[in-house]
Amino acid sequence: MKFAFVVLFSAVLAFAYGQANLPAAQPCDEALCKLPHCRCSSTNIPGALSASNVPQFVLLTFDDGVNIGNMVLYRQLLKNRFNSNNCPAAATFFVTHEYTDYTMINELYNDGHEIALHSISHRNSMEYWRDASVSTMMSEIGDQRSQIAHFANIPVNTIHGVRLPFLQMSGNSSFQMKAGAGLTYDSSWPTIAFQDPGLWPYTLDYRSVQDCIIPPCPTASIPGPWVLPMVAWTDLSGFPCSMVDNCYDHPHGSDDAAWYNFILKNFERHYLGNRSPFGIYVHEWFVRVNPGLWKALQRFAGVINNMNDVYMVNAKEVIDWVQNPVPNNVYRQRPCKNLLRTQCLPNICGPLPAPEGEKNYYMQVCSRCPSRYPWVGNPLGL
Ligand SMILES: *[C@@H]1O[C@H](CO)[C@@H](O)[C@H](O)[C@H]1NC(C)=O
Ligand SMILES: [Zn+2]
């Protein structure tokens, strides 16, 4: 009985994210691909709403380690910020394990922000990520979910999203991993072909029409996870940029009026267009070294927080809306999302022996201290 279960379970795993040949995705059939679990890749507004009835979502995301070096800016920008429906405004953090203070992850979570995955190692090699198998994806990202939940003491089922390091996809494998691990969405896939009007989130049941900027992109049919496309901005010379820090021709660092206009121009392409989610995808260091951008972000946030059809929300909330699209007047009346608050009793751990080399590490966690420095293959540091 037990043996049979193990065999069956392994077969299911092998099917779910093994190397077995996946079915190639076929052209999307709108009649078969229906919400809430399937959506064809397109710029059509979900639910066939007209643009003026669509809540405009603004997605502010930050990548990489969270620590005292960048918490100052996060707190300054985000604390006590509310949307016009009186629900707290929120951002999404794609976190890496290294240089992360897990007590601060706990704080961000308790302030209503979304904690998402950006790999344990963030290894500095495009080839590593491009060639990553499903099992590498599982040990880098699938395992990071339980790692963050454990060390930051936050519920594992509040972690839904992934952004791959360097936005380097590996074809089907990261999506197979997401399907197998029950993760909801990916936000690693830039588009410049579907910028105006912007591409709305969609699933991979059927073939994607999205342009593949950093190949390989997935081409198999992989039901389950959503693609939250990174719709590019346009820089001052008209060139596309998928993250704000990639905008080559951007305003001068300290010119906050120019930065504000720059943000507004890019925002208006969405707000006056098909209202596809407007992403402000940025690294904290870039905001810090461009004080004009820092000021402009505060000003922009203040403006949209007073607009009755614009909302700064988490990426997961955007997917939730796409799955169940309702007009703005209905959306506004909804109660704010429920937050299950958790506590952090901080522990400073170390020196912890590292898996490779003689370097010792220190960590701040909300759990008991691990006995070794946690890493790929040993995410809890047992
Ligand atoms: C993804 O799966 C499809 C369908 O099986 C296959 O044709 C394609 O080569 C795969 N992509 C990669 C990068 O392995
Ligand atoms: Zn990164």
Side-chain angles (χ1 to χ4, degrees), residues 19 125-141 164-165 168-177 216:
Q19 303 302 321
S125 153
M126 299 283 276
E127 293 74 34
Y128 174 75
W129 296 104
R130 183 194 64 201
D131 301 337
S133 65
V134 184
S135 72
T136 300
M137 284 296 176
M138 198 49 100
S139 55
E140 282 278 8
I141 292 169
L164 297 167
Q168 175 64 64
M169 286 198 286
S170 57
N172 309 315
S173 72
S174 75
F175 288 92
Q176 287 173 267
M177 178 278 289

Side-chain angles (χ1 to χ4, degrees), residues 105-227:
I105 299 290
N106 183 279
E107 176 182 329
L108 291 172
Y109 165 80
N110 279 293
D111 283 347
H113 304 300
E114 180 178 347
I115 306 301
L117 309 170
H118 191 46
S119 86
I120 293 179
S121 81
H122 204 287
R123 196 193 285 205
N124 192 9
S125 153
M126 299 283 276
E127 293 74 34
Y128 174 75
W129 296 104
R130 183 194 64 201
D131 301 337
S133 65
V134 184
S135 72
T136 300
M137 284 296 176
M138 198 49 100
S139 55
E140 282 278 8
I141 292 169
D143 286 358
Q144 195 195 6
R145 196 188 198 193
S146 38
Q147 178 182 56
I148 293 181
H150 175 74
F151 290 120
N153 190 34
I154 66 174
V156 72
N157 62 7
T158 62
I159 302 173
H160 308 283
V162 175
R163 177 167 292 156
L164 297 167
F166 315 109
L167 312 183
Q168 175 64 64
M169 286 198 286
S170 57
N172 309 315
S173 72
S174 75
F175 288 92
Q176 287 173 267
M177 178 278 289
K178 280 167 221 140
L183 290 164
T184 306
Y185 72 90
D186 175 85
S187 180
S188 314
W189 192 347
T191 178
I192 60 178
F194 297 96
Q195 200 184 9
D196 191 12
L199 191 57
W200 277 89
Y202 62 92
T203 62
L204 289 178
D205 301 62
Y206 294 92
R207 191 185 300 161
S208 171
V209 298
Q210 189 173 346
D211 44 328
C212 187
I213 296 171
I214 311 174
C217 296
T219 55
S221 167
I222 307 171
W226 286 73
V227 177

Side-chain angles (χ1 to χ4, degrees), residues 277-299:
F278 175 59
I280 305 177
Y281 307 129
V282 71
H283 290 84
E284 181 273 348
W285 67 265
F286 187 78
V287 182
R288 192 163 16 98
V289 301
N290 289 287
L293 171 57
W294 190 345
K295 280 209 190 113
L297 278 175
Q298 292 172 62
R299 182 174 162 201

